[in-house]
Each structure stands twice: as C-alpha cells, then as structure tokens.
Amino acid sequence: MIFLVVFTAVVMQFTESVGIITALLTIMGGTIIGFAAMNTLGNIIAGLIIMITKPFSVGDRIRYKGKIADVVDIELIYTVLIDLDGVEIHVPNQLLLSEEIINYKKDGNIVRIGVVVTPGFDVEQQLVEKVLISAADNIPEVLTHPTPYVWINKFQNYAVEYELFVFIKDIKRLPLIHSNLHKSVLKACKQNDIDISTPVLLRNLS
C-alpha cells in the first residue's frame, strides 16, 4: 500500500515536471521561430524598400564594407553581388540598408578618384603639383574635363600631404585605373627626385 502511494506521487511529480519542460520548450521554440520570422520579414521589407527607392540597380558597381562589387540580382530577402575576384555574395537586405553604400552606377557616369603623396617640406609646392598633374596626363582613361587638380590636405609632422584628384568614366575598370594612376605618380616622383617614402628630415633624425 505504501509502495503504491509513493509510486503514484513519483508519477505525478514526473508528469508535472514533463509538463513544465514541455511548456518551456514550446515557449523557447516559439520565441526562436518568432525571431526568425521577424528577421525574414525585416529582410523582405528591406528588399521592397530597395526595389522602390532604388539606391542601386542590377548592373551597378557599388562599394560595400570597403569591397567593390557588381549588383547581379535584387531578391526579396537577399541582394546578390559579385566581387572583383568573381565571388558571389548574398547579402541580407537589412544589412545593405543599415550600411553606407557608395554607388558608382554604370559606365558613363563620371567618378572622382584620388592619390595621396607626402613629400617633405623642403620640396617646392609648384614642383609637386606639376609632377602630379603630369602623372595624371599619362593615364589615357583620365578625363581632361573636368580637369585633374591637386589639393594640400594637411601638414604632417615632417611632410605635406598632397592629393591628386582625377575623373574617369570607365567604372568597370576603376580598380585597374586607380592602380595605374598610383604607378604613374610613383614613376613621375622618382624621375623628378621627389621622395614620397620617408621625408628627408625624418630620415636625418633617425
């Protein structure tokens, strides 16, 4: 008789525990499903916003998180990109709307690119500007209108920071043109004995 009472109590306790565990699992499962559904719904809403507002379109070349890629498809949940290495990237639309995106659009749109150099204070300003402009003139893809120009951005401890700005229209070849512009600047500076590696004063102090 005592055994029967104890057994009944254990069964009832076990049943109650199972009920609690089942309820907890149901709540947790519902919460997880709810979050997943909210995330999916958020991406769908973001996809619709992208399709309506058109911050970029299929065929555009964009810069996203420092990486240049072409937009190949815009879906409800994901936007499909292909980077310069040919890698296909599926980006959730919510992420695209929450990040800064630079849209170079398609070929034919004029884009400005720049190259920074830091010669020492002992190098004449007019010489630096002349050499940088001549380096830009050696790149066929650089437009003559708008014309290239040079700015002084700031004074560093032992150097002056110059930036050469040029304009191009061949967006698909932007990385290659930018690289060639750097090469042209480096070559022109070497030919004119302009040291852009370490300023002379800094070398003398070391």
Side-chain angles (χ1 to χ4, degrees):
M1 183 67 179
I2 295 175
F3 172 77
L4 183 60
V5 172
V6 172
F7 178 76
T8 303
V10 170
V11 170
M12 291 178 63
Q13 183 66 35
F14 177 76
T15 303
E16 183 178 350
S17 299
V18 170
I20 294 173
I21 293 173
T22 302
L24 288 174
L25 290 175
T26 301
I27 293 172
M28 290 175 61
T31 302
I32 293 172
I33 293 173
F35 276 124
M38 287 177 59
N39 191 43
T40 300
L41 182 60
N43 281 315
I44 291 174
I45 293 173
L48 291 173
I49 292 174
I50 290 173
M51 293 175 184
I52 294 171
T53 60
K54 297 185 183 301
F56 50 81
S57 303
V58 172
D60 286 354
R61 171 157 288 189
I62 65 173
R63 183 185 293 272
Y64 171 67
K65 288 190 172 181
K67 179 174 288 190
I68 294 177
D70 295 323
V71 180
V72 296
D73 195 11
I74 301 174
E75 303 172 354
L76 276 179
I77 298 178
Y78 296 97
T79 291
V80 184
L81 309 175
I82 292 184
D83 67 12
L84 298 180
D85 296 322
V87 177
E88 186 173 287
I89 307 169
H90 293 250
V91 184
N93 289 324
Q94 275 187 302
L95 291 181
L96 282 175
L97 283 185
S98 63
E99 296 284 344
E100 180 185 60
I101 294 176
I102 298 175
N103 188 357
Y104 297 113
K105 295 189 178 294
K106 301 177 178 65
D107 281 341
N109 290 285
I110 296 177
V111 174
R112 188 185 74 168
I113 58 176
V115 173
V116 174
V117 295
T118 53
F121 284 99
D122 58 316
V123 183
E124 289 292 332
Q125 172 191 337
Q126 291 81 1
L127 175 61
V128 175
E129 293 180 351
K130 179 181 177 181
V131 168
L132 292 179
I133 295 297
S134 69
D137 292 339
N138 290 328
I139 306 299
E141 296 87 354
V142 170
L143 302 179
T144 55
H145 298 286
T147 57
Y149 62 93
V150 178
W151 275 0
I152 293 180
N153 287 337
K154 60 183 177 181
F155 299 126
Q156 299 181 357
N157 289 335
Y158 304 104
V160 181
E161 182 179 293
Y162 294 85
E163 186 162 9
L164 166 67
F165 291 103
V166 304
F167 298 87
I168 66 171
K169 294 177 70 174
D170 192 352
I171 308 302
K172 295 297 183 183
R173 300 178 66 240
L174 186 152
L176 177 61
I177 297 171
H178 208 180
S179 174
N180 289 339
L181 182 61
H182 277 85
K183 292 177 183 178
S184 182
V185 167
L186 179 61
K187 181 179 180 181
C189 287
K190 285 184 176 181
Q191 289 176 341
N192 289 273
D193 296 322
I194 298 176
D195 187 355
I196 58 174
S197 55
T198 304
V200 175
L201 179 59
L202 184 59
R203 285 208 312 269
N204 291 339
L205 291 176
S206 60

